[in-house]
């Protein structure tokens, strides 16, 4: 499916918010690339000692500006700035750079995340890997799609009909012994007091790697990995994951098995392995 076809299908539902999600996500991702692999990039430590850069802030500001212009009544929440409260039931969540440590180190696996909810329920999400030109998008009831070779400066994807979007599908592996398990930081399991949970998953799975953050979930949504686990996360880290994985045939829950993006942790799988993973985490 080319871009115009996808946009034709997604434009009408929710007054164009689904297509806007893709356009705005691409614009935010392009903003991050203006600073990527810049050796003079200044890194600031936030109150929780996590890093932030001008790229994080500029990309989130660009996202907020575009969304406020398109949908002035919508609520907008993000990692770097205070929530802009709207007057309707639509709510956007943006994480301009998920994987800031990777970004700072010049590793191209960081992501730009954008999600939308309606009446408190997940509606759509986008995981964009700007430096690799890859993305996966999903909207409840409208499917999930993957694209590679995205233009790094795109802001109006519907004018570019040359990009192919293929259905995003999770793997069919049904044995943990054959599964690829990814996470962002091994040390995060110990920080929450569950170092043994990582050890159990590593021993149970065929391969364990730290291809984490949003890229890990993209890998699961496209069938290249089977299990992605976040021991500690915020809503902006995973708001996009639930609609994407659901529409790709997978599952996203917290560690209790509850389908929520506000549980403080996260598990994304190909669905077949989900209960086995939850049992090991417990």
């Amino acid at each position: 499916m080319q871009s115009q076809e996808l946009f034709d299908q997604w434009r009408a539902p929710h007054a164009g918010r689904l297509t806007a999600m893709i356009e705005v996500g691409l614009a935010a991702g392009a903003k991050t690339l203006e600073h990527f692999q810049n050796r003079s990039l200044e890194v600031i430590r936030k109150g929780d000692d996590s890093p932030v850069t001008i790229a994080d802030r500029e990309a989130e500001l660009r996202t907020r500006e575009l969304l406020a212009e398109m949908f002035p009544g919508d609520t907008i929440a993000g990692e770097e700035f205070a929530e802009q409260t709207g007057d309707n039931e639509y709510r956007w969540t943006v994480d301009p750079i998920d994987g800031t440590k990777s970004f700072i180190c010049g590793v191209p696996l960081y992501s730009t995340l954008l999600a939308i909810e309606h009446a408190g329920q997940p509606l759509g999400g986008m995981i964009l890997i700007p430096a690799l030109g890859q993305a996966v998008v999903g909207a409840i009831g409208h499917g999930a799609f993957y694209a590679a070779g995205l233009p790094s400066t795109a802001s109006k994807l519907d004018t570019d009909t040359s990009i192919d979007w293929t259905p995003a599908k999770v793997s069919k592996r049904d044995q943990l012994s054959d599964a690829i398990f990814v996470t962002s930081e091994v040390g995060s399991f110990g920080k929450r007091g569950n170092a043994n949970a990582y050890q159990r998953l590593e021993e149970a799975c065929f391969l364990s790697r730290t291809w984490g953050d949003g890229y890990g979930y993209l890998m699961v949504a496209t069938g290249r990995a089977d299990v992605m686990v976040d021991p500690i996360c915020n809503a902006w880290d995973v708001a996009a994951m639930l609609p994407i994985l659901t529409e790709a045939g997978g599952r996203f829950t917290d560690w209790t098995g509850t389908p929520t993006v506000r549980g403080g942790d996260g598990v994304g799988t190909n669905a077949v392995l989900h209960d086995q993973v939850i049992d090991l985490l417990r």
Side-chain angles (χ1 to χ4, degrees), residues 109 111 127 129 132 134-136 146 168-171 173 180-183 207 209-228 241 244-245 248 268-270:
L109 301 185
S111 58
I127 304 171
I129 315 298
L132 297 183
Q134 298 181 28
V136 63
Y146 167 78
K169 297 293 183 184
V170 298
S171 74
R173 297 185 186 93
I180 299 171
F181 157 48
V182 295
T183 190
L207 182 66
R209 289 290 184 268
T210 49
W211 301 322
D213 302 309
Y215 185 67
Y217 289 105
L218 180 146
M219 293 281 283
V220 173
T222 56
R224 290 176 282 173
D226 311 290
V227 178
M228 167 67 194
M241 313 317 176
I244 290 172
L245 286 176
T269 74
N270 67 354

Side-chain angles (χ1 to χ4, degrees), residues 17 37 245 269 273:
R17 285 176 173 84
Q37 295 184 339
L245 286 176
T269 74
L273 299 171

Side-chain angles (χ1 to χ4, degrees), residues 3 28 34 58 70-71 90 92 111 122 125 127 151 181 191-192 210 237-238 245 250 271-272:
S3 300
E34 294 178 8
E58 285 187 356
M70 294 176 176
F71 310 106
Y90 288 99
W92 297 88
S111 58
I127 304 171
F181 157 48
K191 288 179 182 178
R192 64 166 284 157
T210 49
D237 296 313
V238 293
L245 286 176
V272 180

Side-chain angles (χ1 to χ4, degrees), residues 145-225:
F145 298 90
Y146 167 78
L150 295 172
S152 62
T153 58
S155 61
K156 294 292 288 182
L157 182 61
D158 58 341
T159 64
D160 188 342
T161 59
S162 65
I163 297 170
D164 289 324
W165 291 86
T166 59
K169 297 293 183 184
V170 298
S171 74
K172 296 180 179 180
R173 297 185 186 93
D174 58 4
Q175 300 294 324
L176 280 175
S177 58
D178 297 325
I180 299 171
F181 157 48
V182 295
T183 190
S184 300
E185 292 185 30
V186 175
S188 296
F189 287 81
K191 288 179 182 178
R192 64 166 284 157
N194 290 89
N196 288 341
Y198 175 82
Q199 189 66 32
R200 289 193 294 271
L201 276 170
E202 183 179 53
E203 292 175 354
C205 293
F206 167 68
L207 182 66
S208 300
R209 289 290 184 268
T210 49
W211 301 322
D213 302 309
Y215 185 67
Y217 289 105
L218 180 146
M219 293 281 283
V220 173
T222 56
R224 290 176 282 173

